Amino acid sequence: MRTVLIDIIAGARPNFMKIAPIIRALDDRKSAGGRLRYRLVHTGQHYDARMSSDFFEQLGIPSPDVNLEVGSGTQAEQTGAVMTRYERLLIEARSDLCLVVGDVTSTMACAITAQKIGVPVAHVEAGIRSGDWRMPEEINRMATDAVTNWFFTTSETANDNLRRAGVGEERIFFVGNTMIDTLLANMGRLRRPSFWQDLGLESGGYFVLTMHRPSNVDEERHFAQLLAAIVEGTRGLPAVFPVHPRTRKTLEALGAKIQGLHLVDPQPYLEFNYLVRHAKAVITDSGGVTEETTVMGVPCMTLRDSTERPETVTIGTNEILGTDPEALRAALDRLFSEGWKKGEIPEKWDGRTGARIVGILESCLFR
């Protein structure tokens, strides 16, 4: 019986949440006599061993079969290192399919490398677009989709983006959102972080803050103004801030301890989403967090001018505020005075996306 080997690429923490349901579905099919095998390739783009191991352990992801150990560097340095090392792997031990997820540098680099060597590509979370070319992720999305064979999408908006780019219907598969598979599978396992009691946190009585984008955190004066708006607008409630390394550099340069703002290390998956689930609201410039807040029904304020996930705004609990501190103040005032929109869960964000993807891969690869 012929089997097919799929490379599953994981390069950064957002990828780990997206691959877990696919791996689980492949393992389920394997126990039922499936013919799909996989090789988990960790590029090492996020090289913090503690955080990586935390996510792998908490989400039940097996140890990588291969670690390319790329490490830190500029966008170009990381791209080149991933491509060189993944090409070497494919030459030495070729796979039948390269499956990439999301929009990190490793996604783009492995997709291009595989296609150049004649290995077809499947892209999970294909077709999403912010329209903002200043974001490295937007370039990664466009480049990846340009060399993709099979497109697995999270929304009808993504489907429309691909159709406008000339992708045929037979290659577009609207399957849902694997990040939400992971969230729903772990809702009963979410756990309080160790600092919960020390900070005096109570359900619905604090905010969660995440910021790491250059437009928000690289310029000290603007960053300080945003933080001042948060402290003022949260009206004395604690704001828990898991600090990204990029953000920490600017915070250290500011050199000020801000009353009401609780700086903590980046949190493992189960602890972070416990914080989000029980927060009064989330203030963020992340894309993925807006999907999780939508499903959990938590108010979300996004400090960006655009989003590649418009369904979190049109259907969910997210609102795009831009990067003006005054707009954030106004949104926080509205939260306290009027409340926030309730939102709904987008179509097919139901926890069964991984199984849909594996079923479609079987059909495509064993025609």
Side-chain angles (χ1 to χ4, degrees):
M1 181 175 66
R2 185 170 75 90
T3 62
V4 167
L5 177 63
I6 301 172
D7 276 343
I8 299 178
I9 308 298
R13 285 185 290 278
N15 289 169
F16 306 154
M17 295 169 270
K18 296 168 187 176
I19 65 168
I22 300 170
I23 288 174
R24 186 167 59 249
L26 284 166
D27 286 340
D28 288 346
R29 284 291 214 286
K30 184 178 179 181
S31 64
R35 294 181 287 169
L36 298 180
R37 297 181 297 121
Y38 66 87
R39 177 171 63 186
L40 180 54
V41 180
H42 190 331
T43 67
Q45 179 184 332
H46 273 186
Y47 51 92
D48 184 323
R50 182 185 65 83
M51 286 298 291
S52 290
S53 62
D54 282 347
F55 271 72
F56 274 58
E57 179 183 349
Q58 289 191 350
L59 300 182
I61 302 171
S63 297
D65 298 291
V66 178
N67 192 325
L68 302 182
E69 298 181 342
V70 167
S72 62
T74 66
Q75 293 275 337
E77 287 168 341
Q78 283 194 327
T79 300
V82 171
M83 294 179 79
T84 300
R85 297 181 188 194
Y86 185 50
E87 180 185 54
R88 188 180 305 132
L89 173 65
L90 289 177
I91 290 172
E92 293 173 355
R94 186 186 182 96
S95 62
D96 298 294
L97 177 72
C98 174
L99 186 145
V100 295
V101 299
D103 51 23
V104 301
T105 298
S106 297
T107 296
M108 172 194 68
C110 287
I112 292 172
T113 301
Q115 199 62 263
K116 282 191 171 185
I117 214 165
V119 173
V121 174
H123 184 198
V124 175
E125 208 176 71
I128 65 173
R129 298 288 186 271
S130 70
D132 185 353
W133 283 30
R134 296 170 299 175
M135 296 173 60
E137 298 93 334
E138 184 75 351
I139 306 303
N140 293 343
R141 295 172 197 128
M142 296 174 69
T144 301
D145 283 344
V147 297
T148 289
N149 298 83
W150 296 303
F151 302 80
F152 295 103
T153 64
T154 61
S155 69
E156 284 292 354
T157 301
N159 297 343
D160 289 340
N161 290 336
L162 293 170
R163 292 179 188 117
R164 283 194 295 270
V167 178
E169 291 286 347
E170 73 282 0
R171 296 197 289 145
I172 301 172
F173 304 97
F174 176 27
V175 291
N177 192 329
T178 57
M179 273 200 39
I180 302 309
D181 281 24
T182 294
L183 179 64
L184 295 178
N186 287 282
M187 286 290 278
R189 301 177 62 235
L190 302 183
R191 59 196 188 202
R192 290 181 176 181
S194 58
F195 52 77
W196 178 270
Q197 288 186 326
D198 291 341
L199 298 185
L201 302 180
E202 297 179 355
S203 184
Y206 64 91
F207 289 78
V208 171
L209 169 63
T210 76
M211 279 197 288
H212 71 280
R213 295 196 180 277
S215 58
N216 287 325
V217 308
D218 280 6
E219 204 281 305
E220 292 176 21
R221 183 170 175 272
H222 177 66
F223 188 31
Q225 290 173 337
L226 283 173
L227 295 178
I230 289 167
V231 171
E232 177 186 323
T234 51
R235 302 188 181 186
L237 293 181
V240 182
F241 190 177
V243 182
H244 187 280
R246 179 186 200 107
T247 311
R248 189 171 293 279
K249 290 180 181 178
T250 312
L251 283 168
E252 290 171 352
L254 288 172
K257 184 175 180 180
I258 302 170
Q259 191 70 29
L261 203 61
H262 299 288
L263 309 181
V264 298
D265 289 333
Q267 295 297 294
Y269 182 84
L270 298 178
E271 287 82 354
F272 178 75
N273 277 294
Y274 185 96
L275 285 171
V276 169
R277 185 180 188 185
H278 294 278
K280 183 174 184 65
V282 173
I283 302 167
T284 188
D285 59 12
S286 166
V289 171
T290 68
E291 296 175 315
E292 292 161 336
T293 53
T294 282
V295 170
M296 290 190 276
V298 177
C300 185
M301 305 173 188
T302 297
L303 303 177
R304 287 169 50 183
D305 295 318
S306 62
T307 179
E308 62 281 0
R309 296 166 171 87
E311 62 274 15
T312 66
V313 178
T314 58
I315 299 172
T317 58
N318 182 32
E319 289 197 15
I320 304 298
L321 303 182
T323 60
D324 183 350
E326 294 308 314
L328 177 57
R329 282 192 176 91
L332 287 166
D333 286 345
R334 180 158 44 90
L335 174 70
F336 281 100
S337 62
E338 303 173 14
W340 203 257
K341 62 182 181 180
K342 297 301 181 185
E344 297 178 359
I345 298 176
E347 183 183 359
K348 293 189 179 179
W349 291 23
D350 56 7
R352 296 193 290 271
T353 300
R356 291 188 193 104
I357 290 171
V358 172
I360 292 165
L361 286 175
E362 288 178 334
S363 298
C364 291
L365 294 168
F366 293 108
R367 285 174 177 168

